[in-house]
Amino acid sequence: MATLTSIPLANTSPGDLRRMQLAWLAAAVFVVSAGYGALMPLLPGWLRPLMTDNDPTSVSRHVGYLSGIYTAGVLVGAPLWGLLSDRFGRARVLLLGLLGYVASLVSLLQPTWAGVIGIYALRGATGFFVAAVVPMVPALVAEHTPPSARARRFAWLGAMSLLGFLFGPGLNAAADRLARLAAFGGGPAWSPAPLVIGLSAALGALMMLGLVLTLPSAPSSKVSEQPERDREVGGQSATLWLINGAVMFVLAGFELGIVLQGEQHPELSSRDISLMFAECSLVMLAINALLFFTGLLERADPRRVMGAGMVLAAAGLGMLARHANEAWMYLGVSFTAAGTGIVLPTVSYLAATSARHRLGVAMGGLAAAAGLGQTLGSAAMGWLFGAIAQDSFAWLALPLLVILAAVLIRSGWWPARLAPPPQSPSSTSTEFTP
């Protein structure tokens, strides 16, 4: 858990993004993240009137399945959109993704018309079209950003995604407040659900309009004349996909584990669980701010940065497994959030070193790996938590430790910044230097 445009800021190259262009791209990430967080709480309310047995267990099961179908849409869509963007252009794919996102939301305004099967199809379609937005924004930013500014902009995109997740539940609260005000004023009774859907769709449509007006023209694309370097970047991308999937596996299991631990330990109230989730988001935001303001990724070896993040996350999971008291829980949440918050933006930063004609595939692969990791992490945690209770947090550190061990044994597997290809004196490099 994170690409377009060219208009120069002060002292930037002609292909760089203007502030307004970057703002619209970041806003697109914010909107789709907020939409996911806003719509998830609405799912039980849509399902109950459509089901013959109003059994809470059955409704909960369907909510879980709907979450899975959304992720399945991302898994299918991300690699496909990545391939299409390398062939037809990232701006077109991004706009098509936003169009499909808005259409799938508007169709949910009448869930009784869609039925249970229709809701599944629409949630899968939403995930499929979101997969055309999330990878394309960083791909566009990488394509139109000089190396000296890339790390800060990727950290900014990560922060906007986190803010979107935080804003999503707030959108529900705002819609509920508007519905109550309408009823209090003597107007017709409004349901908050259509308001949330309408606001989410309107924001998506606004993003389309803003991007249509600000997206830059595609840079000229040349077929690589360095097959050896392409193979090196391709191998790096595969390693980055593995790391991204593993860290998202851990993050998804960690977040679900916090909720499940509240079920098994009465001393942890719903307020405590909510505070832990807020703490997790705020710590990750602070890490993104650190990367944004200090330019750490531009100065430090990304391999060491990711290694430190994995050690931090593993230490936090150990503290959560210990669970001696609430203080250990909060400390463990902070360490785990900080560790994963370091690794994920670094992975995106390194993926931006891919050759331009492979950038869509690289970013699409990252999104697909993240979706797969989330799905497997949530499923594994839900299945194992009942068997090993609070100690289930400890096994989540295993994927991180395995990756670290593999790196120590085979350092060549570890992704690093690549030297730029030789260029003529008149050309401008857009790759990372060692």
mmCIF file of all heavy atoms in Angstrom, residues 337-358:
data_model
loop_
_atom_site.group_PDB
_atom_site.id
_atom_site.type_symbol
_atom_site.label_atom_id
_atom_site.label_comp_id
_atom_site.label_asym_id
_atom_site.label_seq_id
_atom_site.Cartn_x
_atom_site.Cartn_y
_atom_site.Cartn_z
ATOM 1 N N ALA A 337 3.845 -1.025 11.446
ATOM 2 C CA ALA A 337 3.422 -0.012 10.481
ATOM 3 C C ALA A 337 4.615 0.745 9.920
ATOM 4 O O ALA A 337 4.683 1.027 8.710
ATOM 5 C CB ALA A 337 2.438 0.958 11.139
ATOM 6 N N ALA A 338 5.585 1.072 10.786
ATOM 7 C CA ALA A 338 6.769 1.791 10.316
ATOM 8 C C ALA A 338 7.576 0.941 9.341
ATOM 9 O O ALA A 338 8.035 1.422 8.299
ATOM 10 C CB ALA A 338 7.641 2.194 11.509
ATOM 11 N N GLY A 339 7.739 -0.347 9.663
ATOM 12 C CA GLY A 339 8.520 -1.220 8.786
ATOM 13 C C GLY A 339 7.892 -1.395 7.418
ATOM 14 O O GLY A 339 8.549 -1.236 6.389
ATOM 15 N N THR A 340 6.596 -1.715 7.401
ATOM 16 C CA THR A 340 5.920 -1.885 6.107
ATOM 17 C C THR A 340 5.814 -0.548 5.375
ATOM 18 O O THR A 340 5.885 -0.500 4.142
ATOM 19 C CB THR A 340 4.522 -2.487 6.298
ATOM 20 O OG1 THR A 340 3.776 -1.680 7.226
ATOM 21 C CG2 THR A 340 4.616 -3.899 6.835
ATOM 22 N N GLY A 341 5.675 0.543 6.131
ATOM 23 C CA GLY A 341 5.612 1.865 5.517
ATOM 24 C C GLY A 341 6.917 2.291 4.889
ATOM 25 O O GLY A 341 6.926 3.166 4.013
ATOM 26 N N ILE A 342 8.009 1.712 5.307
ATOM 27 C CA ILE A 342 9.307 1.976 4.680
ATOM 28 C C ILE A 342 9.465 1.148 3.411
ATOM 29 O O ILE A 342 9.923 1.634 2.369
ATOM 30 C CB ILE A 342 10.448 1.670 5.660
ATOM 31 C CG1 ILE A 342 10.497 2.726 6.771
ATOM 32 C CG2 ILE A 342 11.795 1.607 4.937
ATOM 33 C CD1 ILE A 342 11.471 2.390 7.893
ATOM 34 N N VAL A 343 9.095 -0.125 3.487
ATOM 35 C CA VAL A 343 9.369 -1.047 2.379
ATOM 36 C C VAL A 343 8.516 -0.731 1.149
ATOM 37 O O VAL A 343 9.026 -0.687 0.023
ATOM 38 C CB VAL A 343 9.145 -2.506 2.815
ATOM 39 C CG1 VAL A 343 9.331 -3.451 1.632
ATOM 40 C CG2 VAL A 343 10.114 -2.873 3.937
ATOM 41 N N LEU A 344 7.229 -0.499 1.330
ATOM 42 C CA LEU A 344 6.332 -0.364 0.175
ATOM 43 C C LEU A 344 6.675 0.820 -0.734
ATOM 44 O O LEU A 344 6.747 0.655 -1.958
ATOM 45 C CB LEU A 344 4.877 -0.290 0.660
ATOM 46 C CG LEU A 344 4.354 -1.578 1.312
ATOM 47 C CD1 LEU A 344 2.957 -1.363 1.876
ATOM 48 C CD2 LEU A 344 4.352 -2.735 0.322
ATOM 49 N N PRO A 345 6.913 2.038 -0.196
ATOM 50 C CA PRO A 345 7.311 3.125 -1.108
ATOM 51 C C PRO A 345 8.668 2.871 -1.768
ATOM 52 O O PRO A 345 8.893 3.292 -2.906
ATOM 53 C CB PRO A 345 7.376 4.355 -0.195
ATOM 54 C CG PRO A 345 6.585 4.005 1.004
ATOM 55 C CD PRO A 345 6.743 2.526 1.178
ATOM 56 N N THR A 346 9.570 2.182 -1.062
ATOM 57 C CA THR A 346 10.878 1.883 -1.639
ATOM 58 C C THR A 346 10.743 0.928 -2.813
ATOM 59 O O THR A 346 11.440 1.063 -3.828
ATOM 60 C CB THR A 346 11.811 1.283 -0.563
ATOM 61 O OG1 THR A 346 11.836 2.150 0.581
ATOM 62 C CG2 THR A 346 13.219 1.124 -1.092
ATOM 63 N N VAL A 347 9.854 -0.042 -2.690
ATOM 64 C CA VAL A 347 9.619 -0.974 -3.793
ATOM 65 C C VAL A 347 9.103 -0.222 -5.021
ATOM 66 O O VAL A 347 9.572 -0.441 -6.150
ATOM 67 C CB VAL A 347 8.614 -2.063 -3.360
ATOM 68 C CG1 VAL A 347 8.128 -2.858 -4.555
ATOM 69 C CG2 VAL A 347 9.272 -3.009 -2.348
ATOM 70 N N SER A 348 8.135 0.682 -4.825
ATOM 71 C CA SER A 348 7.620 1.464 -5.942
ATOM 72 C C SER A 348 8.708 2.337 -6.557
ATOM 73 O O SER A 348 8.792 2.491 -7.783
ATOM 74 C CB SER A 348 6.452 2.345 -5.479
ATOM 75 O OG SER A 348 5.361 1.557 -5.066
ATOM 76 N N TYR A 349 9.535 2.904 -5.713
ATOM 77 C CA TYR A 349 10.645 3.749 -6.176
ATOM 78 C C TYR A 349 11.593 2.955 -7.063
ATOM 79 O O TYR A 349 12.023 3.421 -8.123
ATOM 80 C CB TYR A 349 11.358 4.291 -4.940
ATOM 81 C CG TYR A 349 12.696 4.937 -5.174
ATOM 82 C CD1 TYR A 349 12.792 6.237 -5.648
ATOM 83 C CD2 TYR A 349 13.866 4.251 -4.889
ATOM 84 C CE1 TYR A 349 14.027 6.838 -5.836
ATOM 85 C CE2 TYR A 349 15.103 4.832 -5.072
ATOM 86 C CZ TYR A 349 15.182 6.133 -5.547
ATOM 87 O OH TYR A 349 16.401 6.712 -5.734
ATOM 88 N N LEU A 350 11.910 1.735 -6.651
ATOM 89 C CA LEU A 350 12.824 0.911 -7.446
ATOM 90 C C LEU A 350 12.165 0.433 -8.732
ATOM 91 O O LEU A 350 12.823 0.300 -9.768
ATOM 92 C CB LEU A 350 13.286 -0.288 -6.618
ATOM 93 C CG LEU A 350 14.255 0.032 -5.467
ATOM 94 C CD1 LEU A 350 14.493 -1.203 -4.614
ATOM 95 C CD2 LEU A 350 15.569 0.563 -6.003
ATOM 96 N N ALA A 351 10.871 0.166 -8.684
ATOM 97 C CA ALA A 351 10.174 -0.271 -9.896
ATOM 98 C C ALA A 351 10.197 0.812 -10.966
ATOM 99 O O ALA A 351 10.092 0.519 -12.160
ATOM 100 C CB ALA A 351 8.735 -0.656 -9.570
ATOM 101 N N ALA A 352 10.352 2.059 -10.549
ATOM 102 C CA ALA A 352 10.388 3.161 -11.504
ATOM 103 C C ALA A 352 11.658 3.169 -12.346
ATOM 104 O O ALA A 352 11.761 3.944 -13.293
ATOM 105 C CB ALA A 352 10.265 4.497 -10.769
ATOM 106 N N THR A 353 12.636 2.324 -12.026
ATOM 107 C CA THR A 353 13.845 2.242 -12.844
ATOM 108 C C THR A 353 13.637 1.384 -14.084
ATOM 109 O O THR A 353 14.549 1.261 -14.898
ATOM 110 C CB THR A 353 15.010 1.649 -12.026
ATOM 111 O OG1 THR A 353 14.684 0.314 -11.623
ATOM 112 C CG2 THR A 353 15.299 2.488 -10.797
ATOM 113 N N SER A 354 12.465 0.782 -14.229
ATOM 114 C CA SER A 354 12.202 -0.042 -15.405
ATOM 115 C C SER A 354 12.278 0.801 -16.671
ATOM 116 O O SER A 354 11.980 1.997 -16.660
ATOM 117 C CB SER A 354 10.815 -0.688 -15.305
ATOM 118 O OG SER A 354 10.734 -1.530 -14.187
ATOM 119 N N ALA A 355 12.667 0.163 -17.758
ATOM 120 C CA ALA A 355 12.684 0.849 -19.044
ATOM 121 C C ALA A 355 11.285 1.353 -19.372
ATOM 122 O O ALA A 355 10.287 0.745 -18.987
ATOM 123 C CB ALA A 355 13.183 -0.093 -20.135
ATOM 124 N N ARG A 356 11.221 2.465 -20.094
ATOM 125 C CA ARG A 356 9.933 3.099 -20.360
ATOM 126 C C ARG A 356 8.948 2.143 -21.017
ATOM 127 O O ARG A 356 7.764 2.136 -20.695
ATOM 128 C CB ARG A 356 10.148 4.330 -21.242
ATOM 129 C CG ARG A 356 8.865 5.065 -21.591
ATOM 130 C CD ARG A 356 9.177 6.352 -22.309
ATOM 131 N NE ARG A 356 9.827 7.298 -21.405
ATOM 132 C CZ ARG A 356 10.579 8.328 -21.812
ATOM 133 N NH1 ARG A 356 10.775 8.511 -23.098
ATOM 134 N NH2 ARG A 356 11.107 9.151 -20.933
ATOM 135 N N HIS A 357 9.429 1.308 -21.956
ATOM 136 C CA HIS A 357 8.510 0.429 -22.666
ATOM 137 C C HIS A 357 8.093 -0.771 -21.825
ATOM 138 O O HIS A 357 7.278 -1.571 -22.261
ATOM 139 C CB HIS A 357 9.131 -0.055 -23.983
ATOM 140 C CG HIS A 357 10.344 -0.913 -23.798
ATOM 141 N ND1 HIS A 357 11.585 -0.387 -23.505
ATOM 142 C CD2 HIS A 357 10.508 -2.259 -23.849
ATOM 143 C CE1 HIS A 357 12.460 -1.376 -23.402
ATOM 144 N NE2 HIS A 357 11.830 -2.517 -23.592
ATOM 145 N N ARG A 358 8.635 -0.894 -20.593
ATOM 146 C CA ARG A 358 8.245 -1.966 -19.667
ATOM 147 C C ARG A 358 7.611 -1.423 -18.400
ATOM 148 O O ARG A 358 7.268 -2.187 -17.495
ATOM 149 C CB ARG A 358 9.468 -2.800 -19.285
ATOM 150 C CG ARG A 358 10.150 -3.524 -20.416
ATOM 151 C CD ARG A 358 11.433 -4.186 -19.933
ATOM 152 N NE ARG A 358 11.159 -5.096 -18.839
ATOM 153 C CZ ARG A 358 10.972 -6.413 -18.981
ATOM 154 N NH1 ARG A 358 11.047 -6.949 -20.178
ATOM 155 N NH2 ARG A 358 10.724 -7.173 -17.950
#
